[in-house]
Amino acid sequence: MKSLAELAELRQKSLDKMNMRNTDTRERIVVGMATCGIAAGARPVMNTFVEEVNKRHLGDVSVGMTGCMGMCALEPMVDVYDADGTKTTYIHMTPEKAKRVVAEHIVNGQPVEEFTITAKDQNNA
Amino acid sequence: MQIARSHVLICGGTGCLSNNSMKLKDRLEEKLAELGIKDEIKIIMTGCFGLCAEGPIVVVYPEGSMYSRVSLKDIDTIAEEHLLKGRIVENLLITNRGEAYDEEGHQVENTDFFKRQKRVALRNCGRIDPENIDEYIAYDGYKALGKVLSEMTPQEVIDVVSASGLRGRGGAGFPTGKKWTFAAASKGDVKYVACNADEGDPGAFMDRSVLEGDPHSVLEAMAIAGYATGAHQGYIYVRAEYPTAVRRLNIAIKQAREYGLLGKNIFDSGFDFDIEIRLGAGAFVCGEETALMNSIEGKRGEPRPRPPFPAVKGIFGKPSMLNNVETYANICPIILNGAEWFASMGTEKSKGTKVFAVGGNINNTGLVEIEMGTPLREVIYDIGGGIPDGKKFKAAQTGGPSGGCIPASLIDTPMTYDDLSAIGSMMGSGGLIVMDEDNCMVDIAKFFLGFTVDESCGKCPPCRIGTKRMLEILEKITDGRGELEDIDKLEKLAKNIKASALCGLGQTAPNPILSTLRYFRDEYIAHVVDKKCPAGVCKKLIQIKINKDLCKSCGICAKTCPVACIRGEKKVPYEIDQTKCLKCGACLEKCPFKAIYKES
């Protein structure tokens, strides 16, 4: 170890791997991981979220799981809870869609309307 | 490398290890492989969470769910439900006693036990993997050392430590800044710093937990102490009975050397520092600083007369400075957050926090770190969860064999160095043994005296002979052969030993007697005059009897008795042969009708 800068770099690298243990988070991504979700392909979606969040050093964003949300036909489903408690529900998720949600919603604060459950309702109406 | 989506922290402190937490880890690894999610979940063995009574503890992140008393079967359920399907297993969660499960209450930080604590020395225990230096660095590890070496002079470091008001956590409470000043002022080209990890008080295990849960915090602080005082070599004197702590220390030293955080030219500052471990054989006296230094040199662990003080002539005759593990654990946060931050916690003369190893008759046995000045009541009832089986609190013993007891009437005493000394107890290293109405105070004093008699090194007569004589008088009293003048004799002897013994061990050995005499003299008198043990503990003074009206002649007591001294037949109440009875109390516990009782 030669300098504080070198230490800081190492610190950041290790911290990125440990941010998960911080329960005081800004945003929470929750993936439906019941049998229906898993069968519909929730696992790769989940892994994509985890990878994206890490890649972008989003230390204050947590990725969690939940059980069946009751609308198995719409799985894989993902809920994003903003800091103010607003919940956005995304449906029929894929790893590609997950990347866009991270980029647009999590990073830039713009929910991806077209993937949400409300978009579907409007289309049906 | 795949990034884990969930971290499972399993407690690897000695308490949970002895509760099979290693097997939990193996089982969880197997189960995750079986479920095909092995790559997504990271398992981390941590140090002690502090809640040893509820062990083994398992915490799952990102939810922060804390599971307690986890069995092999439970770990399967956690893997299948929580880790695979994301459903928190509510019935295995630790919840505040009696409260229903709620969304936040299961998180580590939100339980009553943790909420009221302030963790400085234990900041990383249960949060990081102690065998991985990267995790320590992630939580600002070695930043204090970097700051000290690149931005501060040795004098500035000492000034910060002095201004923080930190006092030695090993027992005596000597101001740490002063100790560092003396060592720095001492002339000599070779100096040493040492860490006292020879934790020997019965019931105290906070130093072990720091070494097991966060070994780097001690290494880093020792390097800082070395820089401040002008030493280039450190010794950690740790007892061989702490194998997990020794193993993790060795791993930590190796990792720190690989990163260049120990060794030559640390942080390119020209400062060299290295640390060696010295194993103690478990003699209590080696926790005394001069005996410890003798032991480090490979000599017999006997204390030396002072002066010369270690700051002038210590290890190998060179100026040396010795601090306790917990004292070191406080150093890095002080450097990083500033002296004012530390001094803002606690009371005027006792700054910061203190770790207590809470044991005895209390629900939440374990480690708690509280702000100095917190009343004992809060530690016992709010954090400790109170006394089991609804029994009455009688006294708390602090400071182990060197300390004294705090009676129930003084339960609101703030826990500070001075308040505790004022009532005849002491802060000590932080052992806190809780006693209820079923504990006999004379017996407690006898227990601690038995310990000091065993552990006296024998160098000075007041300790070698005096403690033995005191123990003999105590035995006479608990056997029912005591006379009133024995109590006076005991008190006189205690005061003389306190004044004349060579080292701390002998000088403090009479404290358990003096403090029980002070608050529980009536119990001594009951033993001597009435030949009775009010708590029903001293075997020679009690009889175990069967209540004829309650006995249903079931015969369970007779089957339980190890010496077969209970006889009876159907429809006739059973009887105990008092000449053979060992007073073990086995029958008393087994009787389904509560017909057996102690009479004193």
Side-chain angles (χ1 to χ4, degrees), chain B residues 494-518:
Chain B
K495 284 178 179 157
N496 284 341
I497 294 171
K498 217 171 151 68
S500 57
L502 173 64
C503 81
L505 195 162
Q507 287 158 12
T508 57
N511 285 352
I513 294 180
L514 288 171
S515 93
T516 46
L517 268 176
R518 181 167 166 183

mmCIF file of all heavy atoms in Angstrom, chain B residues 494-518:
data_model
loop_
_atom_site.group_PDB
_atom_site.id
_atom_site.type_symbol
_atom_site.label_atom_id
_atom_site.label_comp_id
_atom_site.label_asym_id
_atom_site.label_seq_id
_atom_site.Cartn_x
_atom_site.Cartn_y
_atom_site.Cartn_z
ATOM 1 N N ALA B 494 -8.898 -8.590 54.461
ATOM 2 C CA ALA B 494 -9.153 -8.065 53.118
ATOM 3 C C ALA B 494 -8.484 -6.707 52.949
ATOM 4 O O ALA B 494 -7.819 -6.447 51.938
ATOM 5 C CB ALA B 494 -10.654 -7.970 52.877
ATOM 6 N N LYS B 495 -8.639 -5.851 53.955
ATOM 7 C CA LYS B 495 -8.071 -4.511 53.848
ATOM 8 C C LYS B 495 -6.541 -4.554 53.829
ATOM 9 O O LYS B 495 -5.894 -3.804 53.097
ATOM 10 C CB LYS B 495 -8.580 -3.627 54.984
ATOM 11 C CG LYS B 495 -10.018 -3.199 54.703
ATOM 12 C CD LYS B 495 -10.617 -2.369 55.803
ATOM 13 C CE LYS B 495 -12.044 -1.974 55.406
ATOM 14 N NZ LYS B 495 -12.870 -1.649 56.559
ATOM 15 N N ASN B 496 -5.971 -5.454 54.631
ATOM 16 C CA ASN B 496 -4.511 -5.569 54.654
ATOM 17 C C ASN B 496 -3.950 -6.057 53.321
ATOM 18 O O ASN B 496 -2.944 -5.553 52.829
ATOM 19 C CB ASN B 496 -4.070 -6.537 55.759
ATOM 20 C CG ASN B 496 -4.176 -5.892 57.123
ATOM 21 O OD1 ASN B 496 -4.231 -4.666 57.226
ATOM 22 N ND2 ASN B 496 -4.229 -6.703 58.161
ATOM 23 N N ILE B 497 -4.618 -7.056 52.736
ATOM 24 C CA ILE B 497 -4.132 -7.597 51.462
ATOM 25 C C ILE B 497 -4.214 -6.525 50.379
ATOM 26 O O ILE B 497 -3.296 -6.360 49.572
ATOM 27 C CB ILE B 497 -4.944 -8.845 51.064
ATOM 28 C CG1 ILE B 497 -4.679 -9.962 52.061
ATOM 29 C CG2 ILE B 497 -4.604 -9.290 49.652
ATOM 30 C CD1 ILE B 497 -5.578 -11.155 51.902
ATOM 31 N N LYS B 498 -5.298 -5.795 50.382
ATOM 32 C CA LYS B 498 -5.507 -4.729 49.409
ATOM 33 C C LYS B 498 -4.353 -3.724 49.468
ATOM 34 O O LYS B 498 -3.897 -3.221 48.448
ATOM 35 C CB LYS B 498 -6.807 -4.008 49.759
ATOM 36 C CG LYS B 498 -7.627 -3.564 48.575
ATOM 37 C CD LYS B 498 -8.984 -3.076 49.081
ATOM 38 C CE LYS B 498 -9.547 -2.022 48.165
ATOM 39 N NZ LYS B 498 -9.945 -2.468 46.855
ATOM 40 N N ALA B 499 -3.880 -3.474 50.694
ATOM 41 C CA ALA B 499 -2.848 -2.455 50.866
ATOM 42 C C ALA B 499 -1.445 -2.985 50.588
ATOM 43 O O ALA B 499 -0.531 -2.220 50.281
ATOM 44 C CB ALA B 499 -2.919 -1.895 52.281
ATOM 45 N N SER B 500 -1.245 -4.303 50.680
ATOM 46 C CA SER B 500 0.136 -4.783 50.678
ATOM 47 C C SER B 500 0.518 -5.689 49.509
ATOM 48 O O SER B 500 1.698 -5.980 49.327
ATOM 49 C CB SER B 500 0.424 -5.520 51.995
ATOM 50 O OG SER B 500 -0.503 -6.559 52.152
ATOM 51 N N ALA B 501 -0.422 -6.145 48.698
ATOM 52 C CA ALA B 501 -0.061 -7.073 47.620
ATOM 53 C C ALA B 501 0.754 -6.355 46.544
ATOM 54 O O ALA B 501 0.663 -5.139 46.389
ATOM 55 C CB ALA B 501 -1.307 -7.697 47.018
ATOM 56 N N LEU B 502 1.557 -7.147 45.815
ATOM 57 C CA LEU B 502 2.484 -6.571 44.838
ATOM 58 C C LEU B 502 1.774 -6.041 43.596
ATOM 59 O O LEU B 502 2.079 -4.959 43.117
ATOM 60 C CB LEU B 502 3.525 -7.635 44.440
ATOM 61 C CG LEU B 502 4.491 -7.278 43.313
ATOM 62 C CD1 LEU B 502 5.391 -6.109 43.718
ATOM 63 C CD2 LEU B 502 5.345 -8.475 42.928
ATOM 64 N N CYS B 503 0.865 -6.812 43.062
ATOM 65 C CA CYS B 503 0.277 -6.388 41.786
ATOM 66 C C CYS B 503 -1.236 -6.310 41.875
ATOM 67 O O CYS B 503 -1.837 -6.606 42.899
ATOM 68 C CB CYS B 503 0.705 -7.328 40.663
ATOM 69 S SG CYS B 503 -0.259 -8.844 40.590
ATOM 70 N N GLY B 504 -1.812 -5.921 40.753
ATOM 71 C CA GLY B 504 -3.252 -5.734 40.676
ATOM 72 C C GLY B 504 -4.053 -6.949 41.076
ATOM 73 O O GLY B 504 -5.126 -6.827 41.661
ATOM 74 N N LEU B 505 -3.533 -8.132 40.785
ATOM 75 C CA LEU B 505 -4.297 -9.334 41.106
ATOM 76 C C LEU B 505 -4.566 -9.402 42.609
ATOM 77 O O LEU B 505 -5.709 -9.550 43.055
ATOM 78 C CB LEU B 505 -3.536 -10.582 40.637
ATOM 79 C CG LEU B 505 -4.314 -11.906 40.551
ATOM 80 C CD1 LEU B 505 -3.574 -12.896 39.677
ATOM 81 C CD2 LEU B 505 -4.569 -12.540 41.904
ATOM 82 N N GLY B 506 -3.506 -9.289 43.408
ATOM 83 C CA GLY B 506 -3.661 -9.379 44.853
ATOM 84 C C GLY B 506 -4.388 -8.183 45.447
ATOM 85 O O GLY B 506 -5.225 -8.317 46.339
ATOM 86 N N GLN B 507 -4.085 -6.996 44.895
ATOM 87 C CA GLN B 507 -4.693 -5.780 45.442
ATOM 88 C C GLN B 507 -6.202 -5.760 45.257
ATOM 89 O O GLN B 507 -6.924 -5.133 46.030
ATOM 90 C CB GLN B 507 -4.092 -4.547 44.748
ATOM 91 C CG GLN B 507 -2.666 -4.253 45.184
ATOM 92 C CD GLN B 507 -1.926 -3.419 44.154
ATOM 93 O OE1 GLN B 507 -2.521 -2.881 43.222
ATOM 94 N NE2 GLN B 507 -0.623 -3.314 44.304
ATOM 95 N N THR B 508 -6.678 -6.425 44.217
ATOM 96 C CA THR B 508 -8.114 -6.391 43.968
ATOM 97 C C THR B 508 -8.819 -7.674 44.388
ATOM 98 O O THR B 508 -10.041 -7.729 44.401
ATOM 99 C CB THR B 508 -8.405 -6.149 42.474
ATOM 100 O OG1 THR B 508 -7.755 -7.189 41.724
ATOM 101 C CG2 THR B 508 -7.897 -4.808 42.005
ATOM 102 N N ALA B 509 -8.044 -8.701 44.740
ATOM 103 C CA ALA B 509 -8.653 -9.989 45.088
ATOM 104 C C ALA B 509 -9.676 -9.884 46.220
ATOM 105 O O ALA B 509 -10.675 -10.602 46.207
ATOM 106 C CB ALA B 509 -7.569 -11.011 45.427
ATOM 107 N N PRO B 510 -9.466 -9.004 47.226
ATOM 108 C CA PRO B 510 -10.471 -8.948 48.297
ATOM 109 C C PRO B 510 -11.760 -8.228 47.910
ATOM 110 O O PRO B 510 -12.716 -8.261 48.674
ATOM 111 C CB PRO B 510 -9.747 -8.160 49.414
ATOM 112 C CG PRO B 510 -8.317 -8.106 49.020
ATOM 113 C CD PRO B 510 -8.275 -8.205 47.542
ATOM 114 N N ASN B 511 -11.795 -7.562 46.748
ATOM 115 C CA ASN B 511 -12.977 -6.770 46.397
ATOM 116 C C ASN B 511 -14.301 -7.526 46.445
ATOM 117 O O ASN B 511 -15.278 -7.003 46.962
ATOM 118 C CB ASN B 511 -12.799 -6.125 45.014
ATOM 119 C CG ASN B 511 -11.850 -4.950 45.073
ATOM 120 O OD1 ASN B 511 -11.443 -4.538 46.155
ATOM 121 N ND2 ASN B 511 -11.482 -4.414 43.932
ATOM 122 N N PRO B 512 -14.366 -8.757 45.915
ATOM 123 C CA PRO B 512 -15.654 -9.454 45.990
ATOM 124 C C PRO B 512 -16.138 -9.626 47.436
ATOM 125 O O PRO B 512 -17.329 -9.536 47.709
ATOM 126 C CB PRO B 512 -15.370 -10.810 45.345
ATOM 127 C CG PRO B 512 -14.222 -10.568 44.440
ATOM 128 C CD PRO B 512 -13.387 -9.527 45.121
ATOM 129 N N ILE B 513 -15.195 -9.836 48.367
ATOM 130 C CA ILE B 513 -15.582 -9.991 49.771
ATOM 131 C C ILE B 513 -16.037 -8.661 50.344
ATOM 132 O O ILE B 513 -17.095 -8.551 50.959
ATOM 133 C CB ILE B 513 -14.392 -10.530 50.599
ATOM 134 C CG1 ILE B 513 -14.072 -11.943 50.151
ATOM 135 C CG2 ILE B 513 -14.712 -10.482 52.083
ATOM 136 C CD1 ILE B 513 -12.923 -12.573 50.893
ATOM 137 N N LEU B 514 -15.236 -7.622 50.108
ATOM 138 C CA LEU B 514 -15.562 -6.317 50.679
ATOM 139 C C LEU B 514 -16.909 -5.815 50.181
ATOM 140 O O LEU B 514 -17.702 -5.268 50.940
ATOM 141 C CB LEU B 514 -14.456 -5.313 50.346
ATOM 142 C CG LEU B 514 -13.152 -5.543 51.115
ATOM 143 C CD1 LEU B 514 -12.049 -4.645 50.570
ATOM 144 C CD2 LEU B 514 -13.349 -5.293 52.605
ATOM 145 N N SER B 515 -17.173 -6.021 48.891
ATOM 146 C CA SER B 515 -18.424 -5.457 48.389
ATOM 147 C C SER B 515 -19.632 -6.294 48.808
ATOM 148 O O SER B 515 -20.693 -5.744 49.076
ATOM 149 C CB SER B 515 -18.365 -5.228 46.884
ATOM 150 O OG SER B 515 -18.863 -6.311 46.198
ATOM 151 N N THR B 516 -19.480 -7.626 48.924
ATOM 152 C CA THR B 516 -20.637 -8.397 49.404
ATOM 153 C C THR B 516 -20.867 -8.123 50.887
ATOM 154 O O THR B 516 -22.004 -8.087 51.342
ATOM 155 C CB THR B 516 -20.463 -9.914 49.174
ATOM 156 O OG1 THR B 516 -19.158 -10.301 49.595
ATOM 157 C CG2 THR B 516 -20.652 -10.289 47.725
ATOM 158 N N LEU B 517 -19.769 -7.884 51.623
ATOM 159 C CA LEU B 517 -19.931 -7.544 53.042
ATOM 160 C C LEU B 517 -20.647 -6.209 53.198
ATOM 161 O O LEU B 517 -21.437 -6.004 54.105
ATOM 162 C CB LEU B 517 -18.561 -7.454 53.719
ATOM 163 C CG LEU B 517 -18.021 -8.732 54.371
ATOM 164 C CD1 LEU B 517 -16.623 -8.493 54.898
ATOM 165 C CD2 LEU B 517 -18.940 -9.216 55.475
ATOM 166 N N ARG B 518 -20.352 -5.315 52.256
ATOM 167 C CA ARG B 518 -20.937 -3.982 52.328
ATOM 168 C C ARG B 518 -22.447 -4.014 52.095
ATOM 169 O O ARG B 518 -23.204 -3.354 52.779
ATOM 170 C CB ARG B 518 -20.253 -3.110 51.286
ATOM 171 C CG ARG B 518 -20.733 -1.681 51.232
ATOM 172 C CD ARG B 518 -19.753 -0.873 50.385
ATOM 173 N NE ARG B 518 -20.297 0.422 50.015
ATOM 174 C CZ ARG B 518 -19.652 1.281 49.233
ATOM 175 N NH1 ARG B 518 -18.473 0.976 48.752
ATOM 176 N NH2 ARG B 518 -20.193 2.432 48.940
#
